[in-house]
């Protein structure tokens, strides 16, 4: 980085970029506690209570989604280029400035909104109307860009001096591991890799997801609850209850991935509240959760029904869409476990329970529909089938899938 930002130079940087002036009045900046290993975040308050969020990547060119800040800037440009998308208020552009050379992004800060994950944790309520509002917004984005060549070509734009020949496929399992892993995590956490690699059915299901990934519309690709904002007066408003933010991973992708990632975030609330003990069986542990699945189910059902009602065409394109959504939810749960283990350096019985639920979602998704939504797949899809012809999935297999061996832990 050519210019590391700090609370000492951020005001001068904003003035040089033309985003504020000395006439703005008193200024007060503070680092957000949400600053991560990947990004450095500063919340700057200008005169008149105008607030800007200034983000800078700590390391450019590392692992993960390539060109993250550029992707968010590109999404901002897309909304400007195609007003039909910019009119969807929940995804309205917030970005004001992008400095590619210094990897700095500046956007408006929505002080009247709070992160949905924090809202759920603090209030312990799960109103179905919130889930429906998210689903309608997401379906609107997917439907408006579905199979539209102009949007796809726009998203192929690459940073200056680089090329983008294809789109990143996020449907990936945990990467191969080597001897260096022993110095990165405690010995007891190695059990995650042992369990993850134990089942060939799990590895095959993830490989199938990656193989059958079919990008067909614009997707967020990181739609967890902390990337969704809810208005502080959500129960008094008729519209714009939610805002979707942090489009750093957005690309041309598979809509089932967005919906599955979102469902996994809801399931994470339930699974993180489990009462775990070596003497308790998994089924009993799931039923003793502090936040039972039955409390979250109305929101999950409202989510999937609102999405399909707003975008029924997706069932004509993929008759197995609901099954794929649950498989992607299982994959997202595995990444939740892995990311937390990498950050917090532990793996406990609660994580084992979450991994078992993830495995079931990936390997037996048809049987998991009733468990997750509380109703059968036919009860969800049948009302739509009366209005839209839904073809049966083809059973023929035209290609032989190739599965590549991964590095495994031996002797553990």
């Amino acid at each position: 980085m050519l210019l590391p930002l700090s609370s000492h130079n951020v005001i001068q940087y904003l003035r040089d970029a033309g985003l504020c002036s000395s006439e703005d009045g008193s200024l007060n900046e503070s680092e957000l506690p949400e600053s991560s290993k990947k990004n450095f975040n500063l919340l700057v308050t200008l005169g008149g209570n105008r607030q800007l969020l200034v983000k800078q990547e700590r390391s450019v060119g590392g692992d993960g989604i390539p060109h993250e800040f550029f992707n968010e800037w590109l999404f901002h440009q897309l909304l400007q280029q195609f007003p039909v998308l910019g009119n969807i208020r929940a995804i309205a552009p917030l970005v004001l400035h992008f400095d590619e050379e210094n990897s700095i992004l500046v956007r408006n800060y929505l002080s009247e909104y709070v992160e949905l994950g924090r809202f759920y944790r603090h209030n312990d309520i799960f109103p179905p109307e919130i889930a429906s509002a998210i689903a309608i917004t997401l379906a609107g984005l997917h439907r408006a860009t579905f199979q539209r060549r102009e949007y796809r070509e726009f998203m192929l734009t690459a940073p200056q001096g680089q090329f983008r020949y294809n789109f990143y496929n996020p449907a990936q399992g945990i990467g191969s591991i080597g001897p260096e892993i022993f110095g990165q995590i405690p010995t007891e956490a190695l059990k995650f890799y042992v369990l993850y690699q134990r089942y060939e059915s799990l590895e095959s299901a993830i490989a199938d997801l990656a193989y059958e990934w079919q990008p067909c519309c614009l997707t967020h690709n990181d739609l967890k609850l902390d990337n969704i904002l809810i208005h502080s007066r959500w129960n008094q408003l008729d519209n714009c209850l939610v805002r979707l933010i942090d489009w750093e991973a957005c690309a041309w992708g598979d809509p089932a991935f967005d919906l599955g990632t979102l469902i996994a975030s809801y399931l994470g609330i339930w699974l993180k509240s489990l009462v775990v003990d070596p003497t308790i069986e998994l089924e009993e542990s799931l039923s003793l959760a502090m936040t039972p699945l039955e409390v979250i189910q109305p929101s999950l059902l409202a989510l999937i029904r609102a999405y399909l009602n707003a975008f029924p065409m997706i069932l004509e394109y993929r008759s197995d869409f609901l099954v794929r959504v649950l498989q992607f939810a299982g994959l997202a749960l595995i990444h939740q476990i892995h990311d937390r283990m990498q950050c917090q350096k532990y793996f406990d019985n609660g994580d084992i329970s979450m991994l078992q639920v993830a495995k079931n979602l990936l390997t037996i998704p048809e049987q998991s529909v009733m468990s997750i939504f509380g109703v059968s797949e036919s009860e969800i899809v049948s009302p739509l089938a009366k209005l839209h012809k839904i073809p049966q999935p083809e059973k023929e297999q035209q290609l032989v899938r190739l599965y590549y061996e991964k590095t495994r832990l031996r002797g553990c």
Side-chain angles (χ1 to χ4, degrees), residues 31 38 78 88 154 163 231-232 244 315 331 371 380 401:
E31 182 179 351
K38 187 171 60 174
L78 179 79
I88 304 177
F154 192 96
F163 297 94
H231 201 282
S232 58
L244 310 188
L315 293 175
L331 182 61
S371 300
I380 296 173
R401 291 172 173 76

Side-chain angles (χ1 to χ4, degrees), residues 176-202:
S176 299
I177 59 174
E180 70 281 354
I181 194 70
F182 293 97
Q184 296 174 357
I185 62 173
T187 303
E188 58 269 19
L190 293 174
K191 188 175 182 180
F192 166 77
Y193 295 100
V194 174
L195 294 173
Y196 173 73
Q197 297 175 347
R198 175 177 294 175
Y199 305 101
E200 289 187 6
S201 60
L202 177 60

Side-chain angles (χ1 to χ4, degrees), residues 124 269-270 272-275 285-293 295:
D124 199 29
I269 298 174
W270 162 50
K272 291 172 187 175
S273 73
L274 297 183
V275 176
S285 178
L286 296 176
S287 66
L288 293 175
M290 300 295 291
T291 303
L293 177 59
V295 173

